[in-house]
Amino acid sequence: MNSENVVKHLRALWRTDRIIAEIRMRHMLVGLGMRAFAALIAAFGLLMLELSAYFALVQVWSAISAAAILGVVNFVIAAVLFVIGGRPPAGRELELATEIHGSSVEALQIEARALQSQFTGMVHHPLNSALPVVLVPLITMIIKSLKKSRAHASEAKAAAEPQ
């Protein structure tokens, strides 16, 4: 397990979460604005329908039909805006951010599994983790002492032969 990899994956995860949140927030704000505008137009449509009911009682059919037609048109416009505002976000940015988010989570899970296996191995077999740390310097010392003893033996042999 490499701590740099963990930090790199956590940064990627944090950035993609932030990007996803920004995209969803933008979409939600646009949708909310469209719905608010649709609600305003629906209120005007209701007002026109009420006005048309009033004209129906008071005047002739021509004013009534004009107000009723305007009210229906306002409701149709409000319905179209409401449907447009309620669409799910469809963008390559969101797909890319979601993909990177998934790969970051996957990489973090792999790093966590590696850490868990290292920890489990160290707990179950503590000599396996300590052995390389102790064994390499020990082997180095043994090799140096063997070289020194050979050098001393060859010096002693060379000193003994001329006599």
Side-chain angles (χ1 to χ4, degrees):
M1 180 181 140
N2 189 355
S3 62
E4 292 177 15
N5 285 342
V6 172
V7 170
K8 181 179 73 171
H9 295 310
L10 284 174
R11 279 188 186 148
L13 185 64
W14 178 65
R15 287 177 183 161
T16 56
D17 279 343
R18 192 177 68 205
I19 290 169
I20 290 170
E22 287 176 4
I23 291 170
R24 288 186 177 158
M25 182 64 78
R26 262 189 276 138
H27 179 264
M28 191 169 47
L29 288 175
V30 168
L32 183 63
M34 290 284 207
R35 286 184 181 130
F37 191 57
L40 182 65
I41 290 177
F44 285 132
L46 181 61
L47 179 65
M48 288 310 225
L49 286 177
E50 289 177 4
L51 188 60
S52 70
Y54 174 75
F55 285 143
L57 295 173
V58 177
Q59 291 194 347
V60 219
W61 288 99
S62 64
I64 298 167
S65 60
I69 288 171
L70 284 176
V72 169
V73 167
N74 283 333
F75 275 126
V76 168
I77 291 172
V80 168
L81 288 175
F82 193 77
V83 167
I84 290 172
R87 282 187 314 173
R92 293 188 335 204
E93 294 174 336
L94 183 60
E95 290 174 13
L96 178 62
T98 305
E99 183 179 325
I100 294 171
H101 181 269
S103 66
S104 296
V105 168
E106 204 173 294
L108 281 173
Q109 287 175 346
I110 290 170
E111 292 290 333
R113 286 186 197 116
L115 177 65
Q116 181 184 10
S117 67
Q118 284 179 356
F119 183 73
T120 304
M122 188 171 59
V123 169
H124 288 291
H125 305 289
L127 287 179
N128 287 346
S129 60
L131 196 59
V133 175
V134 174
L135 195 60
V136 172
L138 186 63
I139 291 173
T140 307
M141 287 181 357
I142 291 171
I143 291 174
K144 284 182 183 178
S145 67
L146 287 174
K147 285 181 181 178
K148 284 181 184 177
S149 65
R150 283 187 187 168
H152 288 301
S154 65
E155 286 177 11
K157 194 176 192 182
E161 284 182 9
Q163 293 175 354

